[in-house]
Amino acid sequence: MTGTFVGMPAFPTAAREALGDTQLRTNLAHATRTIRDKRAMVVAEVEDWEELRVAGAAVKEAALRDLATHLETLEESLVRAGATVHWAGDAAEACAIVASITHAHGVDEVVKVKSMATAEIGLNEALEAEGIAAWETDLAELIVQLGDDLPSHILVPAIHRNRAEIREIFLRRMGDVGRPAPADLTDEPAVLAGAAREHLREKFLRAKVAISGANFAVADTGTLVVVESEGNGRMCLTLPEVLISVVGIEKVVATWSDLDPMMRLLPRSSTGERMNPYTSTWSGVTPGDGPQEVHVVLLDNGRTRALADDVGRQALRCIRCSACLNVCPVYERVGGHAYGSVYPGPIGAILNPLLRGVSDEQSASLPYASSLCGACFEVCPVRIDIPSVLVDQRAAVVDSHRDDRVPKAEALAMRATAWAFSDSRRLAWAERASGLAGRVLTRFSRTTLPGGRAAAGRLPGPAAGWTGARDLPAPPEESFRAWWDRTDGGTKGDGS
Amino acid sequence: MSARDEILGRVRAALADVSPAVSVPTPPRAPDRGDLVALFVERVEDYRAVVTRCSAEEVLAVVTGVLDGLPGGARAVVPPDLGLDLPGAVVDAQFTAAELDGFDAVVTRAAVGIAETGTIVLDHQPDQGRRAISLVPDLHVCLVDASQVVADVPDAIELLDPARPLTWISGPSATSDIELDRVEGVHGPRTLHVVLIS
Amino acid sequence: MRVALQVTCVNDAMFPDTGKAVVRLLRRLGVDVDFPAAQTCCGQPMVNTGYLDEAVPVVRTFVRAFEGYDAIVTPSGSCAGSARHQHSIVAERSGDPALVAAVAETAPRTFELSEFLVDVLGVTDVGAYFPHRVTYHPTCHSLRMLGVGDRPQQLLEQVRGIRLVDLPMATECCGFGGTFALKNADTSVAMGTDKARHVLDTGAEVLVAGDNSCLMHIGGMLSRQRAGVRVMHLAEILASTEDDA
């Protein structure tokens, strides 16, 4: 049994708790810095990286804008190649399809390749309810599963764990579900990886059914692509008799040659390598080689909702590289759990509300989980303008409350501000009021900023959010506007 | 209505006012890197794979030497058409996964080598064998002919047949899942030995 | 050339000295800068919080105030970014073709101060004198929304007497983020704490940036820590001369 994101608090609350965990912040700061540097190095090696990004974005955008055609082509190509195609409108349908195929083969366990789509639909929990054990075989997923934990990163779901914690989890839990960890296990990463190899090998060798996702699905050839590092993917895709791949409908690219920009963009953006250790591609069934029964489950689960959003549609270009997480100053400090979803970080802050709407408080908090610094857009290999989508999703949140009988205090404040900002005379009046406040503050303040200006220390009420940790300069007695009026733009009197 | 028709209907509705026309520019090519084979060797070694360069006449001796170098001598499995008469090697007879686990090494050829990324691609023709044999044994000796080395990813994609299962290999199995610290050797072969023939 | 100063609402109400510095600097460079009194705010506080309808009359006020000027100069990367990249979104939302057209006129003529100096006036040496140890924080919107690049550094390097020191992790966000500073105050403060630490590591007397809102955040943290580092807007350093020393 793993943890659940259901019932997670809104982002600011979850973030506050995460910020209090110093071990988490140390683990995250180290990990994100390491991968940021690696990415920067291999990206700098590609002279025409910007052009490559433009091509990658166009490949995905073209596929999305004619998605129905490409999905039909994909289905035809897959069937021609010997695969069985299933369609799932939501998570429950997808889980039921997978469970039913597994039951049909009379097995009570499956091995899994790391897959965001299956994490999104809660497949492991659904299979468990059907009496089927789903073994995660990616090292980080294994750490999360054995630790009854939740994923906190797209690429490295156990990024919040350090080596000592992982050693403890392996020692405590491996024996419960299979081959135990050796008693003399150390916390060397190589030794820990070795323990995972031994633990999982018996599961790979006996597995009859495997479950995967896909990084790309090529419409014109019916080819699925899995990009990985450890070889657990190859094990699952090659050794079992039956392979079930759960593929989001946005994974489609039109043609085989479209894989070119993608396979140059993804590894460099993701793990910061020129190429990941292993990529497997397969088109249906190959007689005498690999699984002889191949299923593909095409999953919607909110994707068509996102597709209908003119600004948000671009989020479906995402190739799950996680570069945006690694550069995000918010993610680096609060980690992935605070986002309450298998999709954390900047992409999660737009993808979750796009997939499921903003009617619940947690989803509605996600578009605000960003300072809009734009570092995510800068690194995105498919040029998703995350800051613009964040702002647009904020508007979606606000618009969903426009008919509230009792408006939120924030809405009232924004309306009042907009009213003042719509006419300079109103603004001038507000500034005179603030100037008066400034005069009082300057007279009584005991805080002085370097340079001599008076400031407010801790204030009560709505200002507490600011002054809890930051001094606030006292408003000047005279606004710029009033100065300009009084001195005729600094030309009258002494001009000061 | 079937789930299929519902989903396709939703897709069409979502895109009703959207023009499908998007011009996809040709992705840029890397500039000429000069000696591709040298670059290939350098990049493969970067992944901490082992590379030996030799002539066609020397291949047998090199491979035998690699296998004999394993403690106790290696039990090797080979594909049906390796084209190298390797003493003691067992030709794949559709072994089960458990049987393959009893082999220490596998020797295969490759379809393509990519210089820019240090990648070898197997398309699992009879000189490379089915996917399982180059996966389960712990040492993969891969013979790549210099003439198979291309400059970059787009060149490889042009040459490869998507109807065949393909395995792209860039160094030995690796993980960075623990503190983003790269460790070579998890589930796939922990040692990759590329023999480059020219 | 008719040049208007868009002083920004934050500078108007909170940092009038920055506005005065821009006026002094531009006059010294021979630019007769005007301050259209009808101006208020660029609308970004509403847009970035999701209140697009509320932003419509504010953007309308902006384009009316600056109609007919050849260049609109603003001492804020964030407000220039808002005018250049967000006004069109607000105008589209209004459904008013006249506003869409008006925004298309003002947007490309809006310049952040360093862009105006380097690109429009073609100067990097503005004749400034500032004998202090200074570190520069590139604000996110100037860097990534506008792409001002190293223009501010080019200008600072020509200031006589200045000792410029590199800020570690300079391009990382300070955590201000407009209403983010209030809605996610804990995260904002965590980011600001790291930025303030990097500033202290430089040993600079003065932290300079092109946005007073970010400086208000970082400066507020430095002040709370009694760090003794002063924050100043780029315009104020560029306006300084030997007479001020």
Side-chain angles (χ1 to χ4, degrees):
Chain A
M1 186 60 203
T2 51
T4 174
F5 282 118
V6 176
M8 279 283 287
F11 185 84
T13 308
R16 188 178 314 127
E17 282 168 30
L19 286 165
D21 185 342
T22 48
Q23 181 66 64
L24 173 75
R25 282 180 69 180
T26 310
N27 294 356
L28 280 170
H30 167 76
T32 52
R33 198 178 316 123
T34 306
I35 195 147
R36 271 202 306 261
D37 294 349
K38 282 177 71 180
R39 177 201 164 274
M41 246 162 59
V42 294
V43 164
E45 236 178 52
V46 181
E47 284 84 348
D48 299 315
W49 181 254
E50 274 313 306
E51 265 184 79
L52 202 57
R53 281 175 86 208
V54 170
V59 161
K60 291 289 286 187
E61 190 67 20
L64 288 170
R65 281 170 181 256
D66 199 7
L67 188 57
T69 308
H70 295 308
L71 285 171
E72 286 175 325
T73 309
L74 175 67
E75 182 183 38
E76 274 171 38
S77 310
L78 281 167
V79 169
R80 203 183 316 122
T84 307
V85 176
H86 311 259
W87 298 74
D90 58 22
E93 282 179 26
C95 292
I97 293 165
V98 176
S100 133
I101 300 167
T102 310
H103 280 315
H105 289 274
V107 298
D108 59 4
E109 65 169 6
V110 296
V111 285
K112 282 189 70 202
V113 189
K114 176 172 162 32
S115 139
M116 293 310 297
T118 61
E120 171 194 328
I121 61 175
L123 181 64
N124 295 3
E125 293 72 24
L127 290 179
E128 187 181 305
E130 293 273 336
I132 300 163
W135 306 121
E136 292 291 354
T137 65
D138 168 77
L139 180 52
E141 291 284 8
L142 177 71
I143 295 163
V144 168
Q145 187 173 46
L146 290 176
D148 294 333
D149 202 350
L150 288 164
S152 70
H153 189 276
I154 290 174
L155 173 71
V156 194
I159 198 168
H160 57 289
R161 295 290 195 189
N162 64 25
R163 59 185 73 191
E165 295 170 300
I166 294 165
R167 172 179 174 271
E168 187 276 324
I169 291 168
F170 279 9
L171 281 173
R172 185 163 50 83
R173 292 281 289 125
M174 272 184 172
D176 297 345
V177 291
R179 184 178 172 138
D184 59 351
L185 188 72
T186 69
D187 65 3
E188 269 302 300
V191 173
L192 293 168
R197 176 187 169 95
E198 295 308 317
H199 175 79
L200 287 172
R201 187 145 282 233
E202 61 179 18
K203 291 185 162 62
F204 288 132
L205 296 182
R206 70 171 186 239
K208 294 277 182 292
V209 177
I211 295 170
S212 82
N215 293 90
F216 306 101
V218 183
D220 72 342
T221 58
T223 309
L224 299 192
V225 181
V226 162
V227 175
E228 55 134 351
S229 294
E230 295 166 13
N232 65 307
R234 292 176 68 192
M235 290 280 177
C236 294
L237 301 170
T238 307
L239 301 183
E241 295 158 17
V242 182
L243 172 61
I244 310 167
S245 303
V246 180
V247 181
I249 54 173
E250 84 287 12
K251 294 291 164 198
V252 178
V253 297
T255 67
W256 174 249
S257 62
D258 284 344
L259 285 181
D260 163 33
M262 309 325 288
M263 285 307 299
R264 282 193 275 169
L265 289 163
L266 178 54
R268 289 183 200 258
S269 301
S270 185
T271 50
E273 295 167 298
R274 295 186 185 110
M275 190 60 83
N276 50 291
Y278 299 133
T279 297
S280 298
T281 79
W282 72 101
S283 307
V285 174
T286 305
D289 186 349
Q292 296 299 295
E293 185 179 324
V294 169
H295 297 267
V296 178
V297 183
L298 296 174
L299 175 73
D300 181 347
N301 204 37
R303 284 158 179 76
T304 48
R305 190 187 182 285
L307 191 68
D309 188 307
D310 277 331
V311 178
R313 180 180 306 123
Q314 57 184 308
L316 295 178
R317 299 206 292 250
C318 174
I319 54 174
R320 312 283 188 260
C321 73
S322 40
C324 64
L325 278 62
N326 302 331
V327 298
C328 176
V330 174
Y331 177 87
E332 183 187 330
R333 285 169 184 83
V334 306
H337 292 158
Y339 295 81
S341 158
V342 298
Y343 302 114
I347 187 65
I350 59 173
L351 200 53
N352 292 303
L354 282 164
L355 292 176
R356 59 188 190 215
V358 292
S359 54
D360 66 287
E361 200 198 341
Q362 199 274 331
S363 301
S365 71
L366 291 178
Y368 294 96
S370 165
S371 63
L372 302 179
C373 82
C376 45
F377 182 24
E378 204 171 44
V379 297
C380 177
V382 287
R383 298 192 88 257
I384 302 168
D385 183 353
I386 295 177
S388 291
V389 182
L390 283 166
V391 169
D392 194 62
Q393 283 300 300
R394 291 177 185 188
V397 173
V398 169
D399 289 345
S400 73
H401 288 285
R402 289 215 180 264
D403 297 330
D404 287 1
R405 284 209 0 253
V406 183
K408 288 196 292 184
E410 177 191 277
L412 293 173
M414 278 296 165
R415 275 178 225 167
T417 311
W419 181 79
F421 282 163
S422 301
D423 186 326
S424 57
R425 283 163 302 185
R426 293 174 201 151
L427 180 59
W429 182 87
E431 284 167 356
R432 280 198 293 278
S434 104
L436 279 177
R439 208 166 299 174
V440 173
L441 201 57
T442 305
R443 190 156 308 160
F444 296 106
S445 167
R446 279 170 296 172
T447 308
T448 309
L449 300 176
R453 181 166 174 182
R458 288 170 204 275
L459 294 174
W466 181 273
T467 58
R470 296 162 282 216
D471 289 339
L472 182 68
E477 294 184 17
E478 185 181 51
S479 68
F480 178 83
R481 177 184 310 277
W483 169 82
W484 182 280
D485 258 4
R486 180 174 60 75
T487 64
D488 198 13
T491 57
K492 271 198 279 187
D494 65 355
S496 63
Chain B
M1 208 180 355
S2 69
R4 175 187 190 277
D5 294 344
E6 272 184 38
I7 294 170
L8 287 172
R10 286 201 292 263
V11 169
R12 289 203 178 87
L15 298 169
D17 302 322
V18 175
S19 158
V22 175
S23 77
V24 180
T26 308
R29 295 278 181 140
D32 189 354
R33 301 271 195 218
D35 184 350
L36 288 185
V37 174
L39 180 66
F40 176 73
V41 169
E42 176 203 312
R43 296 273 156 106
V44 173
E45 284 177 335
D46 248 14
Y47 296 119
R48 290 184 222 172
V50 186
V51 184
T52 307
R53 297 186 70 161
C54 67
S55 67
E57 294 73 40
E58 295 164 326
V59 174
L60 185 63
V62 166
V63 175
T64 310
V66 171
L67 297 178
D68 288 348
L70 290 186
R75 228 184 131 226
V77 63
V78 292
D81 283 344
L82 180 66
L84 195 69
D85 200 9
L86 209 56
V90 182
V91 175
D92 175 37
Q94 292 287 319
F95 294 123
T96 64
E99 286 167 342
L100 285 174
D101 202 30
F103 288 96
D104 307 301
V106 57
V107 183
T108 73
R109 295 198 182 258
V112 174
I114 306 174
E116 185 73 30
T117 59
T119 303
I120 49 179
V121 186
L122 272 54
D123 65 0
H124 304 286
Q125 305 271 7
D127 61 346
Q128 300 150 54
R130 61 199 176 96
R131 286 172 281 175
I133 69 163
S134 45
L135 171 62
V136 180
D138 209 13
L139 164 67
H140 181 190
V141 181
C142 189
L143 316 182
V144 182
D145 198 274
S147 66
Q148 293 180 301
V149 176
V150 300
D152 203 354
V153 171
D155 309 284
I157 290 196
E158 263 172 39
L159 289 175
L160 293 163
D161 175 7
R164 297 210 53 80
L166 303 175
T167 306
W168 299 45
I169 299 171
S170 307
S173 151
T175 185
S176 300
D177 280 355
I178 300 166
E179 298 180 12
L180 272 300
D181 208 359
R182 187 178 158 106
V183 171
E184 279 82 18
V186 198
H187 304 295
R190 285 184 282 193
T191 308
L192 173 67
H193 195 128
V194 175
V195 178
L196 188 91
I197 309 159
S198 47
Chain C
M1 183 167 61
R2 290 189 66 208
V3 178
L5 167 65
Q6 195 244 333
V7 75
T8 83
C9 61
V10 167
N11 291 327
D12 183 11
M14 292 295 288
F15 304 98
D17 288 347
T18 296
K20 294 176 203 172
V22 176
V23 172
R24 210 159 60 239
L25 172 65
L26 290 183
R27 288 212 179 118
R28 196 168 76 213
L29 295 171
V31 177
D32 183 21
V33 63
D34 198 4
F35 176 77
Q39 67 180 276
T40 57
C41 164
C42 67
Q44 184 170 219
M46 283 106 236
V47 176
N48 280 358
T49 317
Y51 290 82
L52 291 187
D53 287 345
E54 286 75 3
V56 170
V58 183
V59 170
R60 209 182 284 285
T61 305
F62 183 100
V63 294
R64 277 189 195 142
F66 295 103
E67 195 183 358
Y69 285 96
D70 301 308
I72 303 154
V73 183
T74 182
S76 162
S78 199
C79 303
S82 157
R84 289 231 290 265
H85 299 286
Q86 294 186 328
H87 279 189
S88 58
I89 298 167
V90 175
E92 289 290 342
R93 167 93 169 197
S94 75
D96 175 1
L99 187 58
V100 173
V103 159
E105 283 290 312
T106 49
R109 288 185 282 117
T110 307
F111 300 93
E112 182 272 339
L113 178 65
S114 74
E115 292 179 319
F116 183 74
L117 295 173
V118 176
D119 298 347
V120 180
L121 298 186
V123 292
T124 49
D125 184 350
V126 296
Y129 173 75
F130 193 75
H132 298 282
R133 187 176 169 91
V134 173
T135 193
Y136 170 71
H137 166 61
T139 62
C140 298
H141 287 178
S142 66
L143 192 69
R144 285 181 278 262
M145 205 172 184
L146 288 180
V148 302
D150 67 349
R151 289 175 185 80
Q153 286 102 320
Q154 290 178 39
L155 292 159
L156 286 167
E157 277 160 13
Q158 300 296 324
V159 173
R160 274 174 285 287
I162 201 167
R163 273 173 300 153
L164 268 181
V165 286
D166 284 340
L167 178 64
M169 309 279 292
T171 58
E172 188 171 87
C173 177
C174 71
F176 170 64
T179 47
F180 175 78
L182 298 171
K183 279 174 158 306
N184 280 286
D186 300 286
T187 310
S188 167
V189 166
M191 290 160 70
T193 304
D194 291 341
K195 181 59 74 177
R197 196 186 64 239
H198 292 313
V199 171
L200 290 179
D201 286 347
T202 65
E205 302 160 66
V206 177
L207 170 69
V208 61
D211 276 276
N212 272 331
S213 45
C214 306
L215 286 176
M216 186 165 76
H217 167 72
I218 310 169
M221 303 200 71
L222 288 167
S223 164
R224 182 63 57 87
Q225 296 168 17
R226 303 285 173 264
V229 180
R230 185 178 176 193
V231 297
M232 275 178 91
H233 192 281
L234 176 68
E236 295 176 44
I237 290 184
L238 297 182
S240 298
T241 59
E242 272 87 347
D243 298 340
D244 304 313

